[in-house]
Amino acid sequence: MTADLEITRLGESGGKGFEKVFAFLRERLLAGSLRPGDRLIPERDLAAQLGVSRPILREALRALTVLGVVEIRDRVGTIVRRPDPSVLNDFFTFAFAQQAEVIDDVMQARIAIECQAVRLAAERATVSDFEKLQQALARIVETIDDADAGGVADFEFHRAVVTAGKSETLIVLHQSLSGILMRSHRGRRELLQVFDTMKTYLIDDHRRIFDAIIGRDPEHAEKVLREHFAIGDDFRRRAAIGEPGRRSASS
Amino acid sequence: MTADLEITRLGESGGKGFEKVFAFLRERLLAGSLRPGDRLIPERDLAAQLGVSRPILREALRALTVLGVVEIRDRVGTIVRRPDPSVLNDFFTFAFAQQAEVIDDVMQARIAIECQAVRLAAERATVSDFEKLQQALARIVETIDDADAGGVADFEFHRAVVTAGKSETLIVLHQSLSGILMRSHRGRRELLQVFDTMKTYLIDDHRRIFDAIIGRDPEHAEKVLREHFAIGDDFRRRAAIGEPGRRSASS
DNA sequence: ATTCATACCTTGGTCATACCAGAATACATA
DNA sequence: TATGTATTCTGGTATGACCAAGGTATGAAT
């Protein structure tokens, strides 16, 4: 369906062109005049009705695009999108990137998200989730000797945990934060730092997390996951100071 | 200072105009070639170097603007901004507008953030933080009979807790999530649902959280905070189904 | 030499027009 | 009715131009 905008007295709208248009569209979007799935009228017409040129109208539409509010489909039209939190990725990428020193800080947020998610997972996980977790766990065992693939498997397991939590918001935040960590040097290095003593830690810890979820024990699940992060951090810390870490994992 | 972009082999960059430019700028921003405070070269020059027209270049710049990455100053230039979390609010306004059903989900994320933050707070809080928390606590007691002010005081306390955690990432996320919850109907209603039995709950719970932080006990702090949320959720649930909730707060 | 007023250049803000390519649609044909 | 083709519609992009005000250099006045 095409949403025909009721344009009324545009001249008095404050702002200079872009600001005016953007504000107008935002109002329509937030008020609900424009609903997900609606298709805006053609750019030329809309620009004319709003009293601005097409380039300016497009600036506003593009701005709404990066906000995930609308989607401009080539040779089709501009349609209102269903609020999709995934656009947060772009934002977080900018917000936290380039600040290498905040990686540890971002990690804290990831821990926060996962610890909450694992609780929810223990309550909400379905049989399907169990299977996914099982597979992820198996993958970790399989790739235990491959640094790269192992890192991916590790990440996938954690992602499966969060997914099992069934919280869209947590899933989105986790995805965003993971992206940041992935891009960081430390994040990549982490994937490579797999010495022998780490293998059992990796496998056993993840299995315990899995068991806790299966056992529907949120409290224990979080506890185990939290320890998992603590130990991982310990490993990373040792690696950072140059200690080979060939000794046992006893702190 | 003016950041002169080293343009190299632009033709091969994938994407169609806007996408190409946006990707290029994003890469520069993320890589650190462009740092906060830097001023981009004039639009005309930049457009020429990137091989696109000025309108397209402006679309990309405008997109970066809504992401809070750069700031276009009229008749001055485009300068790279320091990551400013405040733009998240504008963003979330769209992302979760009129989607009341996701409020509970967002709340899960808030719980996640705060539970992690309170742990950190118990470890990192300074004397200054203690004072802030003390004041926030006192404010809660003062405004216990005022629904509006009380709601604000409650929020301020939680904010103080997160702040005391000294994690920029958690602070940013908390602020954003709080913004969403504030704007929601349920969020506002929550502030109004202050029946008598809730008063002691409000005061006692927050005091216990405060004590746990003072006592440098992360484990206990999280436990208390989590219970606090659970009870609050219980209150809200009862209010939602119409039960006056005059009974005691026992489970 | 210092101060200050003025003209000039720069730079973002905007508009109008034009062309392209492909999706959507209408229409003619088998 | 089914199908292939021509037309229209729509976004994607490029040019060139004009405006207004911030910056700056110039030069006169002190």
Side-chain angles (χ1 to χ4, degrees):
Chain A
M1 86 189 80
T2 296
D4 204 289
L5 308 177
E6 295 284 339
I7 315 292
T8 56
R9 297 171 301 171
L10 296 170
E12 65 201 43
S13 299
K16 302 294 183 189
F18 168 82
E19 210 58 51
K20 175 178 62 179
V21 177
F22 188 76
F24 172 80
L25 291 175
R26 174 175 56 195
E27 198 175 316
R28 293 286 153 152
L29 269 314
L30 293 179
S33 316
L34 291 173
R35 310 187 139 282
D38 288 355
R39 199 180 70 198
L40 272 58
I41 60 180
E43 291 180 359
R44 290 172 178 77
D45 301 341
L46 187 53
Q49 289 190 25
L50 291 173
V52 297
S53 64
R54 195 147 85 97
I56 297 303
L57 189 262
R58 280 181 63 80
E59 279 184 30
L61 292 181
R62 200 65 94 167
L64 291 173
T65 296
V66 299
L67 289 177
V69 182
V70 303
E71 179 185 355
I72 305 178
R73 281 214 274 249
D74 195 358
R75 278 147 291 172
V76 173
T78 304
I79 62 185
V80 181
R81 293 207 337 177
R82 183 169 47 78
D84 178 14
S86 68
V87 294
L88 275 178
N89 270 328
D90 265 325
F91 176 81
F92 281 117
T93 301
F94 283 113
F96 298 105
Q98 61 184 309
Q99 283 175 294
E101 69 275 14
V102 299
I103 292 303
D104 285 321
D105 201 61
V106 174
M107 190 60 191
Q108 291 299 323
R110 181 190 160 189
I111 293 174
I113 299 299
E114 285 202 30
C115 284
Q116 180 71 10
V118 78
R119 280 176 168 270
L120 295 177
E123 296 171 354
R124 305 174 176 176
T126 65
V127 178
S128 171
D129 292 320
F130 290 156
E131 291 173 358
K132 300 247 180 62
L133 287 168
Q134 179 95 62
Q135 290 169 12
L137 194 54
R139 188 85 187 121
I140 288 179
V141 177
E142 289 172 19
T143 63
I144 194 63
D145 290 316
D146 183 332
D148 284 339
V152 173
D154 185 293
F155 169 71
E156 286 300 325
F157 178 83
H158 285 264
R159 201 166 66 85
V161 169
V162 177
T163 301
K166 299 275 183 295
S167 166
E168 192 63 35
T169 308
L170 289 178
I171 292 171
V172 170
L173 290 177
H174 183 259
Q175 181 185 327
S176 301
L177 297 174
S178 296
I180 297 169
L181 295 175
M182 291 287 220
R183 265 185 294 277
S184 75
H185 297 311
R186 172 163 303 185
R188 291 203 206 83
R189 189 175 58 194
E190 176 182 1
L191 300 183
L192 301 176
Q193 290 293 343
V194 182
F195 7 94
D196 294 342
T197 57
M198 242 179 121
K199 294 180 181 176
T200 56
Y201 142 74
L202 280 173
I203 295 177
D204 292 353
D205 265 25
H206 289 109
R207 176 163 292 286
R208 275 205 292 271
I209 296 169
F210 175 72
D211 289 341
I213 294 175
I214 292 280
R216 299 291 190 197
D217 188 342
E219 208 73 38
H220 188 238
E222 182 190 350
K223 183 169 177 293
V224 175
L225 180 58
R226 210 172 270 286
E227 288 173 1
H228 172 66
F229 279 125
I231 294 175
D233 187 55
D234 184 53
F235 268 111
R236 242 169 287 122
R237 199 181 310 281
R238 268 189 259 155
I241 62 176
E243 185 181 344
R246 295 290 175 189
R247 32 182 290 214
S248 88
S250 66
S251 76
Chain B
M1 88 187 76
T2 296
D4 204 290
L5 308 177
E6 294 284 338
I7 315 292
T8 56
R9 297 171 302 170
L10 296 170
E12 65 201 41
S13 300
K16 301 294 183 189
F18 167 81
E19 210 59 50
K20 176 178 62 179
V21 177
F22 187 77
F24 172 80
L25 291 175
R26 175 174 55 193
E27 198 174 316
R28 293 287 153 150
L29 269 315
L30 295 180
S33 316
L34 292 173
R35 310 185 141 283
D38 287 355
R39 199 182 71 199
L40 272 58
I41 60 181
E43 292 181 356
R44 291 171 177 80
D45 301 342
L46 187 52
Q49 288 191 24
L50 291 172
V52 298
S53 63
R54 195 147 84 98
I56 297 302
L57 190 261
R58 280 182 62 80
E59 279 183 30
L61 292 181
R62 203 62 99 163
L64 291 173
T65 296
V66 299
L67 289 177
V69 183
V70 303
E71 179 185 356
I72 305 179
R73 280 215 276 250
D74 195 358
R75 278 146 286 165
V76 173
T78 304
I79 61 185
V80 181
R81 293 208 337 178
R82 186 165 46 77
D84 178 13
S86 67
V87 297
L88 265 182
N89 280 331
D90 268 329
F91 173 79
F92 277 116
T93 302
F94 279 112
F96 299 96
Q98 60 182 318
Q99 258 194 308
E101 67 272 18
V102 299
I103 293 304
D104 285 321
D105 200 62
V106 174
M107 190 60 190
Q108 291 300 324
R110 181 191 160 188
I111 293 174
I113 299 300
E114 285 201 30
C115 285
Q116 180 71 10
V118 79
R119 278 175 169 270
L120 295 177
E123 297 172 353
R124 306 174 176 176
T126 64
V127 178
S128 171
D129 292 320
F130 290 155
E131 290 173 358
K132 301 248 179 63
L133 286 168
Q134 178 94 63
Q135 290 169 11
L137 193 54
R139 188 86 187 121
I140 287 179
V141 177
E142 288 171 20
T143 63
I144 193 62
D145 290 315
D146 184 332
D148 284 339
V152 174
D154 185 293
F155 169 70
E156 286 300 327
F157 178 84
H158 285 266
R159 201 165 66 86
V161 169
V162 176
T163 302
K166 299 277 184 294
S167 166
E168 191 64 34
T169 307
L170 290 177
I171 292 172
V172 169
L173 291 177
H174 184 260
Q175 178 187 325
S176 303
L177 298 174
S178 297
I180 300 169
L181 296 174
M182 290 287 222
R183 267 187 292 278
S184 75
H185 297 310
R186 171 164 302 184
R188 291 202 206 85
R189 188 174 59 193
E190 176 183 1
L191 301 183
L192 301 177
Q193 291 291 343
V194 183
F195 6 93
D196 293 343
T197 57
M198 241 178 123
K199 293 182 182 176
T200 55
Y201 143 73
L202 280 174
I203 296 177
D204 292 354
D205 265 24
H206 289 109
R207 177 163 289 287
R208 275 205 293 271
I209 296 169
F210 174 71
D211 289 341
I213 294 174
I214 292 279
R216 300 292 190 194
D217 187 341
E219 209 74 37
H220 188 238
E222 182 190 347
K223 182 170 177 293
V224 176
L225 179 59
R226 207 172 272 285
E227 287 173 1
H228 172 66
F229 279 125
I231 295 176
D233 187 55
D234 185 52
F235 269 111
R236 240 170 287 122
R237 198 181 311 280
R238 268 190 260 156
I241 62 176
E243 184 181 343
R246 295 291 174 190
R247 33 183 288 214
S248 88
S250 65
S251 167

